[in-house]
Amino acid sequence: MKKEGKTDVSRPYKLAHQTLCIRAINLEKKSLIGYVELVIHPLRQDLKRVKINSKQCRIYHVSINDQYEAKFLYNDPTLEICQGDAKQRNLDYFQHCHFSAMSAVDPDNGNGEITVRLPPEMYLNIAELRPFRLCIEFSLENPKGGLHFVVPDLPGPAHENAAHVFTAGLNNCSRLWFPCLDTYSEPCTWKIEVTVDNELTAVTCGDLIEVISTPDKKRKTFHYFLSIPTSAPNIGMAVGPFEIHVDPNMHEVTHFCLPHLTEILKHTTNYIHQAFEFYEELLSSRYPYTCYKHVFVDEAYVESTSYATMSVLSTNLLHSNRIIDQTISTRTVLAEAVAKQFFGTFIAMQTWSDAWLPMGISGYLCGLFIKKTFGNNEYRFRISNYLKDVQDYENRVGGIVLDPTKRDSNHHFSIKSPHTVSPRYMEAFRSKCFLVMRMLEQRIGEQLLIQVVNKLVALATTGASQKVGANTWGNLLLSTSSFLKIISTVTGKDISPFLELWVSQSGCARFFGNFVFNRKRNVVELELKQDLGAKGALKYVGPLTVTIQELDGSFNHNFKIEENKTKFDITCHSKCRRNKKKKIPLMTGEEVDMDLSAMDADSPVLWLRVDPDMNLLSHVTWEQPDYMWQYQLRYERDIVAQREAIRALENYPTAGTRRALTDILEDDHCFYRIRMEAAHCLAKVANSMVGVWAGPPAMMTIFRKMFGSHSCPAIIRQNNFSNFQNYFLLKTIPNAMALLRNIHTICPPEVFKFIMELFKYNDNSRNKFSDNYYRAALVEAVSKTVTPAITLMSTPGQGPTADNLSAETKQILEEITRYLNLEKLLPCYRHTVTVSCLSAIRTLQKFGHLPSEVEFFKSYAQHGVFRDIRLAAIDAIVDFIKTESRPEDMYWILNLVETDPDLYVRHYALQQLVLNPPFRRMETSALHTEGLVERLWKMMNCTFSYDSRLRCDAADVYFTLYGRTRPSCLPIPDNMVVLSLKDRKNKMNPAYVPDEMEEMFDDEEEDEEVGMEEGESSQVDTEADIDVTDIGGEEPSLKRKSPPPTELPPPLVLSIGSVPETCPLGIFNEDSASQSKRLKLKVKQEHPAPEPQLSVTMDTSSRLSEGSSSPTTTAVGSESSAPLSFAGLLPSSASATDMSSATDSKAHKAKKKKKKNKHKHKHKHKHDRPDKDPLGRIREGSFNSSENSPSVTQTTLSSPEFEI
Amino acid sequence: MMTDVVMALIEMGQNLQGLPAHAKRPNKSVFLPPSHSTPTPNPRTLQAGDKMPHPSHIPDHMPAFPDPHTYIRTLTQKAPINEYQIIREKAASQKRDVERALTRFIAKTGETQSLIRDEANLFPLIAVTPHPLPYLNALLPKDQDLLAQEEEAQPTPSGKSSKSSQGGAKDGETNDQEGETTDPEAIDNPYLRPVKMARYRKKGGGGN
């Protein structure tokens, strides 16, 4: 079924099985040691080299079938992207180099950082295409990415301090912690063994077969086996002193959390069996794996990452039963993690250009779960949010191409590799995947799409149960072409035009239109144009639905959008004269009474909607009179329509609008999110009408009616949040009211007093829910009342002194101080109140009510404070940098970005710099200096080589500040020609290995030691090259490795002849030695200084085993660089030991195999509980609008009786 | 006769039969009632109300009762307030005062930060201190009101029964949980199984 050919060409072998054995993990030292063993089936008889991905790991030795040592070469061009060009500072050049560096190690191009040369003894074996085992011993010390160690700064043993480690990364970053073929397209079965201290638990992919204590009884080994073929990027691990909670409803699901959190873990996960039931029922197929594990960790890289049979989640998702807001988001995250088990890990993408499929399908499945759990309104609301996000991104930043094989985009980064893509792009990309999948659902029908998905799962399940030889493991991979094929098989439909339109090109359709009613013809004349000039616009040709609500009912009309056609007619059904008594039928079939006095007496049209079901990725600017929007808001049942109406009514500040919004706000049949939006819109409308309005401030009366106590409406009732709709309104209305302004454009004093009284009378003593989010909302509200201060400042730049603080400021500060101080003594959940207080203080500073002070925020941004607070403080600091432009603050935050232990905080700080940049290109600023350029350039060029998210973030910042061209603050390099001539040899990126070099490496037959380049050594090289100048373009290229797609010069590669002099130290100090050691000696003499840096620890064992005499200096160096923490485990004594142990493992594995079969049948679903009223329903009742407000429920709008 | 007295006399070695004789002995001394002294009359103008007569068991020679207003209870304060508004008002200001006093105290005794430089006393903020495990405080909040906690703690039996009456789901779950606590063997989860001992010797703890 799947296309195998493409990958086979570039990778002449197949992976059948991989063993990953972690022999020891040292949490304090942040290191681990182990080996991997890959069972490789050669596909070509002349296979001589095998390429493996590995970064950051130290490789000790590589052996084949436990018999032969194999020579290997290590080179990683991604450590430093633009090495030769010390003065190149434009982003286009970087982008090009970045992508080619990534391709140079991309396993899908048949590349990898490690090249292993198979020993000649194996040639016979390979000629017979017999599988062989490739064993790589490695260790990892203090990793900067891929694997994250959380070691709290507490005395005592690590396991008592909740120290733990887990895999942290996004796509294809397993190579950062163990050598593997780091591609989704090479699934294999896995045996994973992890030996840890007795107090720790190791959680990884697959079934836990057994836990065996080591002979000294101090440690134990967790044996896992994963029988379903899985690709390396889907392998994850977490080790720590976890508390274990077995799901009471599904015993095969196990939850893990850090110490002391079991109680909230139980509450958080108590509904997850419903997600499993839902997906299994929907797909009518079993959950593909035999077990599932949730691990909640601190300092998580992202909220959730999915691996085969397990998810690593942020511990901050845990919550108790007193928390409302977090429940909704946590459930969504957990449900999506389960969906990703089906699509994402079990069925994975074939290549990066197919990533949209598993992402889209898992997002779609999760969407259906949300629809069931939180109701259709919530589902549609989210869709409309995603749609808006995607539109905004494409309009402001640039197009999103789901399948980038055919077209690249015009971004400042390449979208063809997961490692080069901007994280912001990825967010929008994910939303777009989901939207496109949902559009496909509407195109081919929900039933059929589910059938397709079901078929995919069924095929994958059968494929997975076969042996590797059967070549069915490709069924576990999903590619655009195979998806196309399976859709046509199942449904008989050809969706390639659909894919061509939405998947392989970017953009949203942008319509703007209006209409007039022609009374004579009884026809609505519609004009619809597309705005093709806008950024991120797409020229849409195809069907479009327009819904018209007339007096006699609602009707759908389908038009065909063609080029150059903009006029359309809709013949009306209703007569103009209307029957007073008659009720008006809506799309849902309901009939309602309407007050029709507002509308045009001649026209039967109540309102019109374009693309009501969001069948297209489109942005519609629609013109209709205000009364139509008001009718649409009041009577249309689709919440998306109500939303559109609210947005449009902002521009019609009339009494009618005000009435409509007020009615919606009060209507408890209306979806709560719509009411919340109505409140904000009402504030805007009231502000526009401030001159003509007399009476109490908007919403004051409503609020008192809803929340005031009976005997005294001015005092708010004691909190009781059991009605969730009211709870959300309670949080929203004060915020909306705080936006009210009187004629002097300040917040009316009675509103300010009202908010202060909410503070005063807040009483949560009888509430079963926590009021932390409500209190945070109050702080937020009070900060929104603040308007720019009118002060007479004698010294500019200084804020007011203590004496001239205004009365309101003092009151606000009084509350903030009290709340902030109280938070230190009685902290609330996730410190939401502190977060709001920090942002309120920044607001006061910004508007000149307080002196601007950044040190305060810096203390809250330090490591060791809860992450949410840190993020809020970083927001404030970034904002401060923008207004004050002090270089020391900018460097402070860059320092945080470079050194903070929490990787997410670093990423967040960079993202904030993108969203709220201190300056933009072409702007002048005190920060616009060469030093900053160099700092950022260094970050993206080499500092973040182990974390592609940070590297791309840094590139985003660079782009925001300087654009794509060379920053204007840099001097123009003038004498570069001379320099570059002189140093021509250094221009090559030393990490690029030209093919001919590899050939040489191949051809050499002596048993020479194999050198490798370590991260440090390459950096040393850089240091040496740093004064080299060139702009590149003028250089005559000697030989090119890969033809460059742009005008920019690729890193030059030297011809063979020049290798001995120009090759950077460490890579090839042996390759030239095919001839002799004389040459090597010469190299060493030439560069004596960096020699110790090139320590090649990994050589030790191979050298020892082969008994070759090696220079003692290197040997000493290698000994000293071995991780001390594993002194006993180092395979330094002799390779013979390791070989024997590896043989052991083989025998052991055979035994395990039998075991595994026993466990295979253990998977039983025990959750077929009979109740129709599960626990979750009780909890969710209020969210589920279909229960609470039945009239709001959306029914299928395309019911046949409405078709014309 | 009182038994105690009898017992006491016996203890003292007295003869009980001699008592009546002793009481009727001829030369016993007799206490005279005090001579009636003239009470200082209160000025009529100062008298308020009628004095109460002595009850029967109080001899007449005892001083008369004082004026009634000096000892009869009179209501001096108004009825206790039970007006909602005022109670809320009081509760709010009391809570606020307690909180403010507490935070000020902590702020005074510990390290502080200030929003306005050189004005440390104006709005003293307790300084933020990093914690090695910051998530614990954030996820296990302490801001729950005591009242709510008490209510949660007290009606546990009734609360449970009401919950379980809501649906079979709850029942199933509690049963499951009970089953878990009583019989861990019933759940077949590999993480609950005991650690096995090494069955054969391994070298270096790894490579098995």
Side-chain angles (χ1 to χ4, degrees):
Chain A
M1 180 186 92
K2 303 292 188 300
K3 228 176 31 178
E4 294 278 320
K6 196 179 110 203
T7 48
D8 282 353
V9 169
S10 52
R11 203 165 37 233
Y13 44 87
K14 264 190 90 53
L15 199 52
H17 178 80
Q18 185 163 350
T19 305
L20 167 61
C21 174
I22 310 277
R23 287 170 168 175
I25 296 182
N26 189 327
L27 290 177
E28 284 98 340
K29 295 247 165 59
K30 302 190 178 177
S31 50
L32 62 80
I33 187 164
Y35 69 87
V36 292
E37 192 177 77
L38 294 87
V39 179
I40 292 174
H41 288 250
L43 297 177
R44 263 172 40 189
Q45 297 186 324
D46 57 345
L47 179 71
K48 288 186 178 167
R49 282 175 291 160
V50 174
K51 295 202 180 184
I52 306 287
N53 292 110
S54 175
K55 281 180 95 165
Q56 312 187 96
C57 302
R58 263 167 210 278
I59 310 283
Y60 292 97
H61 82 184
V62 178
S63 67
I64 311 280
N65 282 353
D66 305 328
Q67 289 173 322
Y68 311 110
E69 290 299 323
K71 281 177 269 181
F72 65 97
L73 168 75
Y74 190 106
N75 85 92
D76 186 357
T78 66
L79 290 178
E80 188 170 2
I81 299 294
C82 313
Q83 285 193 33
D85 293 287
K87 293 285 192 262
Q88 273 285 10
R89 289 295 174 269
N90 79 65
L91 207 48
D92 280 341
Y93 177 71
F94 174 82
Q95 172 211 328
H96 166 63
C97 293
H98 194 188
F99 179 64
S100 39
M102 283 304 168
S103 318
V105 292
D106 186 354
D108 282 340
N109 298 340
N111 293 326
E113 289 88 351
I114 303 181
T115 309
V116 178
R117 187 171 63 82
L118 299 175
E121 292 89 337
M122 291 299 299
Y123 288 174
L124 188 62
N125 232 336
I126 287 159
E128 292 166 8
L129 297 182
R130 277 204 301 247
F132 60 90
R133 283 178 293 117
L134 180 75
C135 181
I136 304 174
E137 296 194 26
F138 70 97
S139 77
L140 187 63
E141 259 184 292
N142 207 356
K144 292 178 197 145
L147 201 62
H148 186 61
F149 284 86
V150 180
V151 186
D153 186 16
L154 280 172
H159 58 85
E160 284 176 16
N161 303 335
H164 56 287
V165 57
F166 56 91
T167 42
L170 290 174
N171 290 300
N172 302 63
C173 51
S174 286
R175 68 183 84 171
L176 287 166
W177 65 285
F178 70 95
C180 57
L181 284 175
D182 201 4
T183 169
Y184 287 96
S185 63
E186 196 60 76
C188 67
T189 54
W190 293 80
K191 170 80 175 67
I192 306 177
E193 301 167 21
V194 189
T195 304
V196 297
D197 291 346
N198 266 341
E199 297 79 9
L200 303 178
T201 305
V203 187
T204 180
C205 301
D207 291 312
L208 177 63
I209 296 163
E210 56 188 352
V211 184
I212 296 179
S213 182
T214 52
D216 60 1
K217 294 186 181 167
K218 283 180 185 153
R219 296 182 301 149
K220 53 191 181 181
T221 307
F222 287 77
H223 292 264
Y224 285 89
F225 187 79
L226 182 57
S227 60
I228 289 177
T230 302
S231 44
N234 277 329
I235 298 297
M237 180 181 75
V239 174
F242 297 122
E243 292 183 357
I244 300 169
H245 169 57
V246 177
D247 197 284
N249 299 300
M250 292 175 73
H251 293 164
E252 54 275 55
V253 177
T254 319
H255 313 290
F256 300 86
C257 66
L258 295 168
H260 311 297
L261 299 174
T262 304
E263 276 313 304
I264 51 174
L265 175 77
K266 282 181 185 167
H267 176 76
T268 309
T269 57
N270 69 1
Y271 86 103
I272 197 68
H273 62 278
Q274 292 179 31
F276 279 96
E277 281 164 23
F278 177 80
Y279 294 134
E280 291 191 335
E281 207 170 302
L282 184 76
L283 301 175
S284 55
S285 49
R286 277 276 174 85
Y287 170 67
Y289 299 108
T290 46
C291 61
Y292 183 58
K293 288 142 313 201
H294 273 136
V295 191
F296 290 89
V297 297
D298 188 26
E299 295 186 3
Y301 191 76
V302 278
E303 273 195 329
S304 102
T305 19
S306 291
Y307 303 100
T309 76
M310 70 183 284
S311 298
V312 175
L313 301 134
S314 165
T315 194
N316 298 340
L317 292 171
L318 296 174
H319 58 83
S320 73
N321 59 353
R322 288 173 52 81
I323 307 301
I324 298 171
D325 304 46
Q326 185 64 45
T327 310
I328 304 169
S329 49
T330 297
R331 291 194 174 189
T332 313
V333 171
L334 295 192
E336 182 154 21
V338 175
K340 280 185 184 156
Q341 291 293 310
F342 290 88
F343 284 90
T345 64
F346 178 61
I347 297 180
M349 62 182 102
Q350 170 104 31
T351 63
W352 173 241
S353 54
D354 309 312
W356 70 278
L357 281 165
M359 265 185 211
I361 298 178
S362 60
Y364 172 70
L365 294 178
C366 175
L368 293 182
F369 179 77
I370 287 170
K371 190 165 157 184
K372 182 214 162 213
T373 316
F374 301 123
N376 191 37
N377 285 334
E378 176 75 21
Y379 179 59
R380 286 185 74 87
F381 193 86
R382 284 185 194 221
I383 292 168
S384 97
N385 272 351
Y386 286 139
L387 194 56
K388 189 158 188 322
D389 292 347
V390 171
Q391 282 161 5
D392 284 354
Y393 186 89
E394 295 209 311
N395 190 225
R396 293 196 187 137
V397 188
I400 304 168
V401 189
L402 295 189
D403 179 354
T405 37
K406 290 183 194 154
R407 292 183 187 80
D408 207 338
S409 70
N410 194 26
H411 287 280
H412 64 275
F413 47 85
S414 169
I415 56 170
K416 291 192 171 184
S417 160
H419 298 279
T420 57
V421 168
S422 149
R424 256 181 95 197
Y425 177 87
M426 270 321 287
E427 262 171 53
F429 181 85
R430 220 166 277 133
S431 306
K432 187 165 177 177
C433 291
F434 163 65
L435 288 174
V436 168
M437 200 51 70
R438 184 184 158 273
M439 280 159 56
L440 186 64
E441 174 215 79
Q442 291 179 313
R443 185 65 61 96
I444 66 173
E446 184 179 342
Q447 282 305 317
L448 283 178
L449 183 61
I450 295 294
Q451 273 180 33
V452 169
V453 173
N454 175 21
K455 180 90 179 169
L456 286 173
V457 175
L459 278 176
T461 314
T462 14
S465 57
Q466 306 288 315
K467 287 249 158 52
V468 61
N471 251 345
T472 55
W473 289 359
N475 289 357
L476 290 157
L477 300 173
L478 190 53
S479 72
T480 310
S481 56
S482 69
F483 188 66
L484 200 67
K485 222 178 276 175
I486 203 161
I487 286 210
S488 97
T489 318
V490 174
T491 68
K493 286 176 186 169
D494 179 21
I495 57 158
S496 44
F498 176 86
L499 296 185
E500 181 57 39
L501 185 61
W502 300 114
V503 175
S504 36
Q505 72 173 327
S506 66
C508 297
R510 304 185 80 82
F511 294 107
F512 52 103
N514 52 19
F515 67 92
V516 282
F517 175 68
N518 187 325
R519 198 179 158 191
K520 277 187 190 150
R521 295 171 59 210
N522 196 28
V523 147
V524 171
E525 294 167 357
L526 209 68
E527 192 183 26
L528 261 178
K529 283 185 193 156
Q530 287 192 59
D531 181 5
L532 299 175
K535 196 175 179 187
L538 163 148
K539 188 162 149 193
Y540 177 73
V541 175
L544 177 74
T545 311
V546 174
T547 304
I548 181 167
Q549 174 71 48
E550 297 176 39
L551 293 174
D552 284 1
S554 185
F555 307 95
N556 285 331
H557 295 262
N558 287 309
F559 296 115
K560 185 123 184 66
I561 301 290
E562 288 161 31
E563 218 163 327
N564 302 326
K565 190 183 176 195
T566 55
K567 307 256 188 212
F568 304 92
D569 282 351
I570 297 176
T571 313
C572 287
H573 292 68
S574 324
K575 288 274 175 280
C576 301
R577 205 175 296 116
R578 53 190 111 101
N579 188 346
K580 286 240 161 120
K581 297 278 172 229
K582 211 175 149 194
K583 288 188 166 186
I584 293 171
L586 298 178
M587 183 56 97
T588 51
E590 281 174 83
E591 299 205 333
V592 292
D593 283 317
M594 288 187 201
D595 173 18
L596 297 171
S597 57
M599 69 186 289
D600 179 2
D602 293 337
S603 162
V605 182
L606 281 162
W607 65 80
L608 249 100
R609 292 186 64 207
V610 177
D611 189 23
D613 273 334
M614 298 177 282
N615 283 329
L616 308 177
L617 286 175
S618 66
H619 179 267
V620 184
T621 314
W622 187 239
E623 284 172 34
Q624 60 184 13
D626 60 341
Y627 64 85
M628 289 196 181
W629 287 121
Q630 289 158 14
Y631 281 125
Q632 180 171 333
L633 174 60
R634 282 170 189 269
Y635 301 109
E636 171 65 62
R637 295 304 187 216
D638 180 9
I639 60 142
V640 180
Q642 294 173 341
R643 251 188 135 178
E644 284 164 8
I646 288 174
R647 279 193 196 135
L649 284 172
E650 264 178 45
N651 306 316
Y652 298 99
T654 61
T657 301
R658 202 168 169 150
R659 259 196 315 277
L661 288 169
T662 312
D663 289 348
I664 286 293
L665 181 55
E666 281 185 296
D667 181 2
D668 58 1
H669 290 299
C670 188
F671 185 49
Y672 73 98
R673 287 187 189 266
I674 293 299
R675 297 168 74 189
M676 287 158 71
E677 294 201 347
H680 281 283
C681 182
L682 188 53
K684 287 181 193 151
V685 169
N687 285 346
S688 309
M689 296 171 64
V690 68
V692 293
W693 183 259
M699 292 176 274
M700 184 82 94
T701 334
I702 301 173
F703 188 88
R704 296 218 156 124
K705 204 155 89 191
M706 283 178 73
F707 302 109
S709 48
H710 296 298
S711 58
C712 174
I715 295 182
I716 185 171
R717 281 199 294 266
Q718 285 182 304
N719 295 342
N720 177 7
F721 297 159
S722 46
N723 181 338
F724 293 155
Q725 300 193 13
N726 283 349
Y727 165 70
F728 284 107
L729 283 171
L730 176 66
K731 289 195 307 172
T732 305
I733 295 179
N735 266 292
M737 288 176 70
L739 295 171
L740 292 173
R741 298 289 178 263
N742 63 13
I743 211 150
H744 310 291
T745 66
I746 57 164
C747 185
E750 58 262 54
V751 171
F752 182 75
K753 186 168 166 263
F754 162 77
I755 292 173
M756 293 318 282
E757 287 197 342
L758 292 181
F759 273 99
K760 184 175 171 188
Y761 290 116
N762 179 36
D763 182 352
N764 206 46
S765 55
R766 302 208 169 267
N767 196 358
K768 68 175 180 173
F769 296 102
S770 169
D771 66 345
N772 63 318
Y773 288 98
Y774 170 59
R775 284 188 289 142
L778 285 184
V779 175
E780 202 185 315
V782 82
S783 77
K784 281 184 185 162
T785 63
V786 177
T787 42
I790 306 154
T791 39
L792 300 162
M793 223 75 78
S794 51
T795 46
Q798 296 269 306
T801 56
D803 308 321
N804 55 15
L805 290 179
S806 71
E808 278 89 10
T809 309
K810 276 186 181 157
Q811 266 182 288
I812 295 173
L813 280 177
E814 188 75 24
E815 294 301 334
I816 288 178
T817 316
R818 189 167 60 91
Y819 269 7
L820 258 185
N821 283 339
L822 213 55
E823 276 274 284
K824 303 285 187 320
L825 308 173
L826 299 169
C828 72
Y829 178 72
R830 286 190 81 160
H831 301 304
T832 48
V833 176
T834 305
V835 168
S836 291
C837 287
L838 291 184
S839 101
I841 290 172
R842 178 61 202 151
T843 309
L844 286 170
Q845 289 185 355
K846 197 157 67 173
F847 286 141
H849 297 277
L850 267 183
S852 272
E853 179 68 67
V854 77
E855 297 307 318
F856 172 75
F857 296 114
K858 284 184 184 168
S859 69
Y860 278 91
Q862 62 186 312
H863 185 247
V865 179
F866 184 64
R867 186 191 271 177
D868 290 7
I869 301 179
R870 301 188 68 197
L871 302 187
I874 286 171
D875 284 349
I877 295 168
V878 169
D879 194 50
F880 184 86
I881 293 172
K882 185 182 183 177
T883 52
E884 308 288 318
S885 295
R886 292 197 332 203
E888 61 263 40
D889 300 323
M890 187 69 190
Y891 287 118
W892 187 90
I893 203 136
L894 291 183
N895 201 35
L896 177 128
V897 164
E898 281 175 352
T899 57
D900 199 83
D902 190 339
L903 295 173
Y904 181 78
V905 170
R906 295 178 178 203
H907 157 69
Y908 184 85
L910 282 174
Q911 277 219 315
Q912 275 320 105
L913 285 173
V914 172
L915 296 174
N916 195 8
F919 60 92
R920 288 174 191 274
R921 73 201 82 145
M922 314 312 282
E923 284 175 9
T924 49
S925 163
L927 297 172
H928 195 0
T929 61
E930 200 178 336
L932 183 62
V933 176
E934 293 301 327
R935 182 99 182 242
L936 286 170
W937 186 265
K938 190 171 167 237
M939 274 187 192
M940 52 199 224
N941 199 19
C942 50
T943 314
F944 294 144
S945 60
Y946 296 120
D947 191 327
S948 46
R949 180 171 72 174
L950 286 176
R951 178 176 255 170
C952 297
D953 276 329
D956 278 0
V957 174
Y958 197 89
F959 175 70
T960 319
L961 301 185
Y962 308 114
R964 293 176 169 211
T965 49
R966 187 181 174 83
S968 56
C969 62
L970 293 183
I972 297 161
D974 38 13
N975 54 351
M976 77 282 178
V977 183
V978 185
L979 273 170
S980 62
L981 280 176
K982 211 162 55 188
D983 289 321
R984 174 187 299 176
K985 56 179 183 180
N986 283 317
K987 290 195 57 200
M988 179 186 108
N989 179 338
Y992 280 104
V993 181
D995 289 337
E996 49 274 29
M997 284 191 191
E998 279 182 4
E999 290 307 326
M1000 279 170 55
F1001 166 67
D1002 257 1
D1003 295 340
E1004 60 164 319
E1005 294 298 329
E1006 289 91 344
D1007 277 333
E1008 278 289 336
E1009 59 165 3
V1010 177
M1012 56 183 296
E1013 187 190 22
E1014 276 269 64
E1016 297 93 313
S1017 60
S1018 107
Q1019 304 223 340
V1020 169
D1021 295 338
T1022 330
E1023 242 62 270
D1025 293 351
I1026 207 84
D1027 49 352
V1028 178
T1029 318
D1030 81 283
I1031 335 180
E1034 294 94 314
E1035 283 301 313
S1037 61
L1038 299 168
K1039 202 149 202 176
R1040 292 188 170 184
K1041 191 191 164 201
S1042 54
T1046 74
E1047 76 288 342
L1048 289 158
L1052 295 179
V1053 164
L1054 293 141
S1055 65
I1056 310 172
S1058 58
V1059 167
E1061 305 101 53
T1062 58
C1063 197
L1065 320 169
I1067 295 193
F1068 282 142
N1069 52 359
E1070 79 297 343
D1071 69 26
S1072 51
S1074 53
Q1075 289 74 34
S1076 62
K1077 295 190 176 176
R1078 176 174 44 87
L1079 205 80
K1080 197 167 76 191
L1081 278 171
K1082 188 180 140 206
V1083 171
K1084 278 175 183 161
Q1085 279 160 4
E1086 274 178 9
H1087 311 280
E1091 175 65 27
Q1093 300 278 355
L1094 306 171
S1095 68
V1096 198
T1097 334
M1098 307 67 201
D1099 294 349
T1100 332
S1101 52
S1102 71
R1103 232 184 264 130
L1104 285 169
S1105 64
E1106 284 161 28
S1108 73
S1109 59
S1110 49
T1112 39
T1113 48
T1114 326
V1116 168
S1118 64
E1119 282 300 312
S1120 61
S1121 63
L1124 296 169
S1125 38
F1126 302 119
L1129 291 157
L1130 266 177
S1132 56
S1133 49
S1135 60
T1137 337
D1138 303 294
M1139 297 224 285
S1140 70
S1141 64
T1143 335
D1144 263 2
S1145 100
K1146 196 181 167 193
H1148 192 59
K1149 222 180 295 159
K1151 278 184 207 159
K1152 293 288 156 54
K1153 279 254 164 71
K1154 279 181 216 150
K1155 276 245 149 101
K1156 171 200 82 192
N1157 290 337
K1158 233 194 285 169
H1159 286 280
K1160 253 187 175 168
H1161 307 287
K1162 288 271 163 82
H1163 178 71
K1164 258 183 227 141
H1165 282 242
K1166 291 173 186 156
H1167 47 89
D1168 45 342
R1169 292 172 305 111
D1171 58 277
K1172 279 286 132 199
D1173 184 19
L1175 167 72
R1177 280 269 294 280
I1178 298 159
R1179 289 252 159 67
E1180 293 304 342
S1182 313
F1183 289 113
N1184 196 336
S1185 55
S1186 60
E1187 278 187 13
N1188 248 20
S1189 43
S1191 65
V1192 194
T1193 315
Q1194 178 74 28
T1195 59
T1196 354
L1197 289 177
S1198 53
S1199 37
E1201 61 263 37
F1202 293 114
E1203 298 287 343
I1204 304 167
Chain B
M1 245 190 192
M2 311 291 279
T3 41
D4 300 10
V5 180
V6 175
M7 289 306 287
L9 289 171
I10 292 168
E11 288 275 299
M12 290 164 71
Q14 301 289 340
N15 186 3
L16 287 181
Q17 269 72 35
L19 267 182
H22 178 77
K24 289 172 185 160
R25 72 187 187 277
N27 292 332
K28 66 170 183 184
S29 53
V30 177
F31 295 101
L32 290 173
S35 64
H36 196 77
S37 63
T38 49
T40 47
N42 262 354
R44 269 229 171 263
T45 48
L46 287 181
Q47 185 164 345
D50 294 323
K51 288 183 181 177
M52 236 171 63
H54 279 160
S56 56
H57 60 275
I58 296 179
D60 282 341
H61 56 82
M62 293 297 185
F65 278 108
D67 287 349
H69 74 272
T70 57
Y71 60 92
I72 287 174
R73 185 174 66 104
T74 47
L75 295 172
T76 53
Q77 85 267 38
K78 286 181 245 160
I81 337 156
N82 45 10
E83 234 177 286
Y84 185 78
Q85 182 179 356
I86 293 156
I87 288 182
R88 286 296 300 275
E89 186 107 41
K90 278 204 161 175
S93 45
Q94 195 183 351
K95 188 172 170 224
R96 170 173 301 229
D97 290 346
V98 169
E99 285 173 0
R100 191 179 298 153
L102 174 67
T103 53
R104 289 245 160 148
F105 172 72
I106 302 284
K108 283 245 164 75
T109 50
E111 226 172 283
T112 55
Q113 289 172 310
S114 175
L115 290 173
I116 304 169
R117 203 174 287 188
D118 311 325
E119 289 284 349
N121 295 327
L122 198 58
F123 294 104
L125 291 170
I126 303 173
V128 61
T129 46
H131 190 275
L133 304 173
Y135 58 90
L136 278 186
N137 270 334
L139 300 180
L140 304 170
K142 297 185 188 120
D143 66 331
Q144 300 193 6
D145 282 285
L146 287 174
L147 265 175
Q149 276 179 329
E150 278 163 21
E151 268 170 30
E152 261 174 36
Q154 276 171 358
T156 19
S158 67
K160 246 187 187 166
S161 65
S162 74
K163 270 184 196 164
S164 58
S165 68
Q166 281 174 346
K170 198 77 194 175
D171 278 338
E173 192 179 87
T174 43
N175 287 345
D176 270 349
Q177 275 166 352
E178 278 158 20
E180 186 189 349
T181 48
T182 50
D183 188 14
E185 303 297 315
I187 300 176
D188 182 31
N189 185 297
Y191 293 95
L192 301 180
R193 284 182 214 139
V195 175
K196 291 183 191 167
M197 289 334 269
R199 282 162 301 177
Y200 49 88
R201 288 205 57 81
K202 285 178 285 178
K203 274 186 185 171
N208 44 321

